Amino acid sequence: MTIKEVSKNTGLTADTLRYYEKIGMIPIIRRDENGIRSYNDSDIRLINFVLRLKRAGMTLEKIIEYVELAKEGDSTAEARKKLLEEQRENIIFRISELKESLDLIDYKIEHYFSCVISDTKEAVENLK
Amino acid sequence: MTIKEVSKNTGLTADTLRYYEKIGMIPIIRRDENGIRSYNDSDIRLINFVLRLKRAGMTLEKIIEYVELAKEGDSTAEARKKLLEEQRENIIFRISELKESLDLIDYKIEHYFSCVISDTKEAVENLK
DNA sequence: TCTTGACTTGGAGTCAACTCCAAGGTGTAT
DNA sequence: ATACACCTTGGAGTTGACTCCAAGTCAAGA
């Protein structure tokens, strides 16, 4: 698979794929005789895995840390599990925060001519 | 209220508060006779409102757009409602994404010695 | 009076995560 | 054979959201 195909499949640009490789978030991809990247299935799986961690809100730095640990083998399983558990707590917190925001927004949409206006209008009055 | 007190109340640094004012995300705060910012209750309410939008994942740019509309008065109510509805969809999407990630992570934590390893190990093998 | 500490400004610097660019190589289509 | 599309690299530039800094003002306290 060429970088263009992978780009199409993953939604990442070719530049981003090269960038992820440069910073060590995905392994160094094998090149063909002309030096052109040739992605295999396991590369694709790793990219998808990494994208899931990213969508879960992990920073690239944490993902790299995770991938580095995975490279080192089974001895790092505990450390990786710990990273995932941290991430789990993180996600749970963010879901609760988003639910709170959703409630607020629903409320604002429903009661559109009360609090939204008064929240901002009052402050704005002071400018006049 | 001085900038320091507001900083303590909101968790924002004084620099951030000045920055938000500079970019128009909060109104220009009244100064006392010495040119020192003096925040009133409605300023605080607006800051808290803006912070909620931010926690809901709105970009500063969108928040500014919203606040600008609010300044223009009632005629922009529909436009603001639309912004909130967009944001609502956005939050719902992100919650669902996070829930998916949570499921994946829970699964990885449970079955720690199966897929996590195989996802990354296979790709790593190609480096050797 | 002099120091201390909190505030002011405009502007520069930082960080994460890309995104773009110039210069050059290669393979296929006309 | 030459144009075209697509790839390579190293490095510079961009964006969003801060964060820090220098130079200066001001008021209260020793």
Side-chain angles (χ1 to χ4, degrees), chain B residues 2-4 6-7 12-29 31 35-37 39 47:
Chain B
T2 69
I3 203 166
K4 199 169 195 192
V6 178
S7 165
L12 297 170
T13 66
D15 268 323
T16 302
L17 283 163
R18 281 187 288 256
Y19 169 68
Y20 283 174
E21 186 177 335
K22 184 153 62 181
I23 65 174
M25 198 161 81
I26 58 177
I28 292 164
I29 303 299
R31 317 297 157 111
I36 289 180
R37 284 172 182 79
Y39 295 79
I47 291 167

Side-chain angles (χ1 to χ4, degrees), chain A residues 27-28 40 42 45-46 49 52 55-56 66 70-71 74 77 80-81 84-85 87-88 91-92 94-95 97-102 104-106 108-109 112-113 116-117 119-124 126-127, chain B residues 27-28 40 42 45-46 49 52 55-56 66 70-71 74 77 80-81 84-85 87-88 91-92 94-95 97-102 104-106 108-109 112-113 116-117 119-124 126-127:
Chain A
I28 292 164
N40 64 31
S42 68
R45 269 198 299 283
L46 180 56
F49 173 58
R52 277 187 166 280
R55 255 179 281 140
Y66 187 94
K71 266 190 211 168
D74 296 356
R80 271 176 285 154
K81 194 171 176 183
L84 289 185
E85 275 160 0
Q87 191 54 23
R88 185 178 190 281
I91 292 174
I92 288 171
R94 284 184 312 118
I95 288 176
E97 215 173 42
L98 284 178
K99 280 187 173 164
E100 229 179 85
S101 299
L102 189 60
L104 174 74
I105 284 181
D106 279 344
K108 293 255 173 191
I109 290 172
Y112 204 71
F113 289 95
V116 175
I117 304 284
D119 262 2
T120 47
K121 207 170 184 176
E122 192 180 342
V124 166
N126 299 319
L127 297 172
Chain B
I28 292 164
N40 64 31
S42 69
R45 270 198 299 282
L46 180 56
F49 173 57
R52 277 188 164 279
R55 255 180 281 140
Y66 187 95
K71 266 190 209 167
D74 295 357
R80 270 175 286 154
K81 195 171 175 181
L84 289 186
E85 274 160 1
Q87 190 55 22
R88 185 178 190 282
I91 292 174
I92 287 172
R94 284 185 307 119
I95 288 176
E97 216 175 40
L98 285 178
K99 279 187 173 163
E100 232 180 83
S101 298
L102 189 59
L104 174 74
I105 284 181
D106 280 344
K108 293 255 172 191
I109 290 172
Y112 204 72
F113 289 95
V116 175
I117 305 285
D119 262 3
T120 46
K121 207 171 187 177
E122 193 179 342
V124 166
N126 300 318
L127 296 173

